[in-house]
Amino acid sequence: MTGGEGGAGEGGGLGSRTRRAAPALTRTRAGGAQCREHIYLTSEVEPVFDAADIMKFGKDIFVHMGFTTNEFGFDWLRRHCRARGIRAHKLHFPDDMCPFHCDATFVPLRPYLAMENPARPMEPYERKIFAENDWTLIKAAQPNTLEMPPLSQCSPWLCMNILSLSDKVVFCEETEKGMIELFNDQGLDVITLPFRKVFEFGGSFHCVTADVRRQGEMKSYFAALDAQDAATM
């Protein structure tokens, strides 16, 4: 299992559908209400998705819906992945008023353990899949500071943007003492590095890495879904 970016290559075929465009959002109370209703900036004219909106949990991917991934894009991903034995699921975080990229909101750490942003809980009905498959969701520690580097446009929750090297080792920014303690409490070894200057380029560890080589076989970590699939075969 890895928390690395996911994506899709060729195949799957795009339809010629035309979908209703979502109304434009502004940074207003009305815009916040639209986010809570899962109405985003993106239209549905063509499929859009961003790799950083996708978290891979073995044979399942979870797709963060928002400003950089639309319904049409999810539909394309779902069909593309299904043909390869991978299940796709949507995730929504209604308290996130600027929903794009998942790696400062919801991050897998190892099989059956994932970390969520306490300020951006997912929809309760979407949490059920984790509860029904024996996953533990822990809340991220508060950022070490709310002050970001001068040119950074990222949230302080970039403290969650870590890199899982294995199910026992993670990379974390060296000043994030709360996160380091949280990982140690979960039995994870933490490699710390000075990385705050990278924030000005728009991300942290998860954003600047890609797992081009993996060891081991792809497994399922959602036994209840496996049983459902078997029952319908």
Side-chain angles (χ1 to χ4, degrees):
M1 187 195 75
T2 174
E5 292 94 347
E10 70 285 350
L14 301 183
S16 57
R17 295 173 291 175
T18 300
R19 298 193 176 190
R20 178 178 62 85
L25 297 182
T26 58
R27 288 184 176 273
T28 64
R29 184 176 300 176
Q34 288 179 312
C35 281
R36 289 191 173 92
E37 294 298 322
H38 309 160
I39 300 172
Y40 306 117
L41 283 164
T42 45
S43 75
E44 295 291 342
V45 176
E46 59 185 357
V48 175
F49 60 87
D50 201 336
D53 279 327
I54 303 164
M55 289 293 177
K56 188 171 185 296
F57 292 61
K59 291 185 177 180
D60 292 83
I61 63 170
F62 290 85
V63 184
H64 181 198
M65 308 300 295
F67 291 171
T68 45
T69 296
N70 64 6
E71 295 284 342
F72 201 172
F74 175 82
D75 288 347
W76 189 92
L77 276 169
R78 179 178 50 80
R79 293 195 307 272
H80 178 88
C81 292
R82 184 172 56 192
R84 291 155 177 80
I86 298 173
R87 296 172 294 225
H89 316 272
K90 298 178 187 176
L91 290 180
H92 298 86
F93 302 89
D95 290 335
D96 188 353
M97 296 298 100
C98 190
F100 69 94
H101 297 178
C102 200
D103 42 18
T105 301
F106 187 65
V107 180
L109 298 173
R110 66 171 179 243
Y112 305 106
L113 179 67
M115 176 173 60
E116 60 180 340
N117 188 321
R120 306 171 188 167
M122 74 177 70
E123 290 283 14
Y125 61 85
E126 292 174 340
R127 297 179 67 89
K128 290 178 61 178
I129 189 174
F130 297 98
E132 292 169 352
N133 289 275
D134 299 321
W135 278 81
T136 297
L137 307 184
I138 60 172
K139 297 186 185 304
Q142 292 293 315
N144 181 59
T145 177
L146 298 181
E147 183 178 346
M148 298 296 282
L151 298 181
S152 174
Q153 299 184 36
C154 298
S155 157
W157 287 109
L158 210 57
C159 65
M160 291 181 63
N161 194 292
I162 55 100
L163 173 66
S164 293
L165 184 63
S166 70
D167 60 359
K168 298 180 177 64
V169 182
V170 297
F171 285 91
C172 181
E173 211 288 323
E174 67 177 7
T175 63
E176 297 296 341
K177 305 303 182 185
M179 295 295 293
I180 295 167
E181 182 178 353
L182 176 69
F183 295 143
N184 286 334
D185 288 346
Q186 295 297 325
L188 293 165
D189 293 328
V190 184
I191 299 174
T192 61
L193 291 172
F195 224 64
R196 281 185 62 83
K197 290 185 177 180
V198 180
F199 293 2
E200 295 187 272
F201 293 90
S204 191
F205 295 104
H206 191 266
C207 298
V208 301
T209 53
D211 48 347
V212 295
R213 294 182 181 177
R214 298 182 185 181
Q215 295 179 342
E217 60 181 344
M218 185 171 63
K219 298 180 181 179
S220 172
Y221 300 98
F222 292 85
L225 297 182
D226 296 338
Q228 292 175 16
D229 290 346
T232 58
M233 292 180 64

